[in-house]
Amino acid sequence: MSNSASSPITILILYYSRHGSTAALARLIADGVGQVPGAVARLRTVPAIRSQAESAPAETIPEEGPPYAQLSDLADCAALILGSPTRFGNMAAALKYFLDGSASEWLSGALSGKPAACFTSTASLHGGQETTLLSMMLPLLHHGMLLLGLPYSEPALSATRSGGSPYGASHFAGASGDLPISSEERSLCHALGRRVAELAVRLRSQA
């Protein structure tokens, strides 16, 4: 077996987090990826943007946490898991700004055929979790990615009274963003990471 076939594949977990809840989900999903032999998680975030008509990143170097994503991270990954807090039922502008700049990767097919999934957090229980997950799926479909959700064979999906959706992992963070991640939300984050990583490993083994 060649080194390229035996080396771990990279699952890119790309997210924007304003108050930390989405970042906490990203770390749990990374834990799930780490449970799959042959896969490693790469956490990347995106900067906030200025509130101007022509938006631009507000910073070039993160003060703490994972590095900011580069477009090369998209080409390098074997799968992508995308996360954002809800903004009026949609993904945050900062994440969309990064994705809007991925036309070259779209033209080259850098993400085509790779597994993908989404996750989100909201301040209210019915604050647009599912529409936000769906909004993140749209550019992934345009990139030709293979979208994965969470099946009801995951017991936590039927038991949850907080976050969790067949469209992806989610968290009800509360108006102050301080509600703890529930056991069901945690379980579903782990399951999402495993599910994406398992498919990516299987696809690589068949290549």
Side-chain angles (χ1 to χ4, degrees):
M1 184 178 292
S2 66
N3 289 334
S4 61
S6 60
S7 59
I9 59 171
T10 298
I11 311 301
L12 177 62
I13 303 174
L14 173 62
Y15 67 93
Y16 173 71
S17 186
R18 181 69 172 173
H19 300 294
S21 294
T22 308
L25 297 183
R27 291 189 293 270
L28 289 170
I29 292 168
D31 291 341
V33 170
Q35 295 171 11
V36 178
V40 294
R42 175 183 293 170
L43 288 165
R44 292 293 184 269
T45 186
V46 296
I49 58 175
R50 301 184 185 97
S51 55
Q52 298 173 347
E54 182 63 30
S55 297
E59 308 169 33
T60 56
I61 301 174
E63 294 182 2
E64 59 183 13
Y68 288 146
Q70 304 294 321
L71 290 174
S72 59
D73 289 316
L74 300 178
D76 293 342
C77 73
L80 171 63
I81 307 178
L82 204 60
S84 172
T86 290
R87 293 293 183 267
F88 299 104
N90 208 326
M91 77 176 92
L95 185 62
K96 188 174 188 300
Y97 182 86
F98 179 84
L99 294 173
D100 283 349
S102 64
S104 294
E105 287 66 32
W106 171 68
L107 287 169
S108 68
L111 289 170
S112 182
K114 296 179 179 180
C118 302
F119 62 100
T120 190
S121 62
T122 55
S124 59
L125 185 57
H126 302 289
Q129 290 187 3
E130 294 184 347
T131 57
T132 299
L133 293 169
L134 291 170
S135 78
M136 286 189 284
M137 291 178 183
L138 297 179
L140 303 182
L141 285 168
H142 278 263
H143 274 287
M145 302 198 78
L146 308 176
L147 293 181
L148 295 174
L150 286 164
Y152 277 93
S153 55
E154 293 293 336
L157 196 56
S158 297
T160 183
R161 296 296 180 266
S162 49
S165 160
Y167 307 107
S170 62
H171 169 52
F172 168 37
S176 300
D178 56 358
L179 291 181
I181 294 174
S182 70
S183 60
E184 291 85 6
E185 291 171 337
R186 181 181 302 272
S187 175
L188 293 169
C189 283
H190 289 162
L192 190 67
R194 285 195 308 270
R195 186 167 166 81
V196 172
E198 286 169 353
L199 178 57
V201 169
R202 189 157 63 246
L203 288 173
R204 200 269 292 270
S205 70
Q206 296 171 357

